[in-house]
Amino acid sequence: MGARREAREALAVAGVRPKKRWGQHFLCDAAVAHRIVETARIGPRSIALEIGPGLGALTDELAGRAGRLYLVEIDPVLAARLAARYAENPRVRVIEGDVLALALGTIVTEPGVTVIGNLPYNVAIPILFALREQRVRMPHAVVMLQREVAERLVARPGTPDYGVTTVLLRAFADIRLAFRVSRRSFLPPPRVESAVLDVCWSAAPRADLGDEAAFREVVRASFGQRRKMLRNALGALARDRGVDLESAFARAGVAPSARAETLDLDAFARLARALAP
Ligand code: SAM
């Protein structure tokens, strides 16, 4: 594959060996790259932020299409390479740094930002939680991550993949699995398969969660012992909060014998409100 040879050569020229700790698996499939950019619907009015551009598999097309493009890359050698490549393009700005440590809201000040990235898989979930915090400014994200994790995030209630992360992210987002990508599309190939998610954040929660921290606590405790009935999983939390558990279930319209994985977002929201201290 031409793209694979190009990536290998680019690494050799830059003197870079793919680093595991930064999840460096470079996309070598132009059709997949194009499909990601298409899914993100990037056009001349778009403000785009690419996380982990690496060797730039997605970047040239993004730079050609977007009105403004921010690139955040942790690897100093790759960041310098990108800065040189786009030095003449005033619409592209390269930021060397850890996306989880940067104050994204102060770097990208425009509203309506679309985030794109073939994410480092080891920190994909923390990155999604960080993006959740930026959702007002950055309402749309198209990101590639480990397929197994992607499937968890789109799982329906009542299936084994449905869990804490699913509920906490989907409380603020409509998440769709856009398409699957083979591990053979990368250099070096990761051990796992990949998938692209299309995430549309909403500024307000998608159900009346009540106090957000208290909601998170209820969701975590419910799944903490996922094989247990909710009556048992939530006993300690209700005691700590001084709430009568059985009447909280009744107010929420949730069966005490139900298991966490069967509750949809609305049911969790009702339960969290009924369990408010
Ligand atoms: N976008 C490129 C592609 O599709 O070929 C590279 C994808 S590779 C899976 C992940 C990229 O994210 C690498 O370039 C890596 O150096 C970068 N990276 C890893 N951790 C990062 C972090 N915390 N902040 C910013 N970039 C990071």
Side-chain angles (χ1 to χ4, degrees), residues 21-131:
R21 72 174 184 287
W22 288 334
Q24 291 181 344
H25 298 279
F26 300 103
L27 183 64
C28 300
D29 187 327
V32 171
H34 177 67
R35 209 167 158 197
I36 292 174
V37 179
E38 281 286 298
T39 304
R41 300 187 297 279
I42 299 298
R45 296 230 298 272
S46 305
I47 311 293
L49 162 66
E50 186 184 356
I51 298 175
L55 289 171
L58 308 171
T59 319
D60 271 346
E61 189 170 348
L62 287 173
R65 287 200 194 193
R68 187 113 179 76
L69 175 63
Y70 294 87
L71 307 173
V72 176
E73 173 56 60
I74 201 169
D75 186 322
V77 176
L78 295 179
R81 186 176 173 273
L82 290 158
R85 174 134 123 217
Y86 297 109
E88 304 296 317
N89 187 337
R91 291 179 295 108
V92 179
R93 179 166 166 216
V94 180
I95 299 123
E96 181 199 318
D98 177 349
V99 72
L100 289 170
L102 290 167
L104 281 182
T106 62
I107 294 170
V108 185
T109 52
E110 297 97 327
V113 176
T114 301
V115 175
I116 293 166
N118 171 11
L119 299 182
Y121 293 174
N122 50 344
V123 285
I125 290 291
I127 290 176
L128 282 170
F129 276 101
L131 293 177

Side-chain angles (χ1 to χ4, degrees), residues 12-232:
V13 170
V16 169
R17 283 167 62 118
K19 292 176 196 66
K20 243 198 182 123
R21 72 174 184 287
W22 288 334
Q24 291 181 344
H25 298 279
F26 300 103
L27 183 64
C28 300
D29 187 327
V32 171
H34 177 67
R35 209 167 158 197
I36 292 174
V37 179
E38 281 286 298
T39 304
R41 300 187 297 279
I42 299 298
R45 296 230 298 272
S46 305
I47 311 293
L49 162 66
E50 186 184 356
I51 298 175
L55 289 171
L58 308 171
T59 319
D60 271 346
E61 189 170 348
L62 287 173
R65 287 200 194 193
R68 187 113 179 76
L69 175 63
Y70 294 87
L71 307 173
V72 176
E73 173 56 60
I74 201 169
D75 186 322
V77 176
L78 295 179
R81 186 176 173 273
L82 290 158
R85 174 134 123 217
Y86 297 109
E88 304 296 317
N89 187 337
R91 291 179 295 108
V92 179
R93 179 166 166 216
V94 180
I95 299 123
E96 181 199 318
D98 177 349
V99 72
L100 289 170
L102 290 167
L104 281 182
T106 62
I107 294 170
V108 185
T109 52
E110 297 97 327
V113 176
T114 301
V115 175
I116 293 166
N118 171 11
L119 299 182
Y121 293 174
N122 50 344
V123 285
I125 290 291
I127 290 176
L128 282 170
F129 276 101
L131 293 177
R132 190 183 72 161
E133 297 314 302
Q134 299 295 328
R135 64 188 180 274
V136 173
R137 193 187 300 275
M138 305 181 178
H140 187 204
V142 173
V143 289
M144 177 141 63
L145 65 174
Q146 184 175 338
R147 190 178 299 175
E148 203 184 294
V149 177
E151 277 166 357
R152 245 193 275 148
L153 299 186
V154 296
R156 293 183 175 284
T159 63
D161 279 350
Y162 186 73
V164 178
T165 320
T166 324
V167 178
L168 296 184
L169 286 174
R170 290 231 299 262
F172 291 92
D174 180 25
I175 307 181
R176 184 177 70 86
L177 195 153
F179 58 96
R180 296 176 168 78
V181 180
S182 159
R183 54 190 287 277
R184 289 190 302 276
S185 297
F186 300 90
L187 179 82
R191 266 179 304 158
V192 294
E193 301 288 328
S194 300
V196 174
L197 290 180
D198 189 350
V199 182
C200 291
W201 299 104
S202 46
R206 299 170 78 232
D208 178 6
L209 310 180
D211 177 73
E212 222 190 295
F215 168 79
R216 278 199 298 270
E217 220 185 323
V218 167
V219 175
R220 288 216 173 88
S222 301
F223 281 105
Q225 306 177 9
R226 78 184 277 150
R227 287 184 207 300
K228 279 199 181 176
M229 290 190 273
L230 286 170
R231 171 189 281 135
N232 299 324

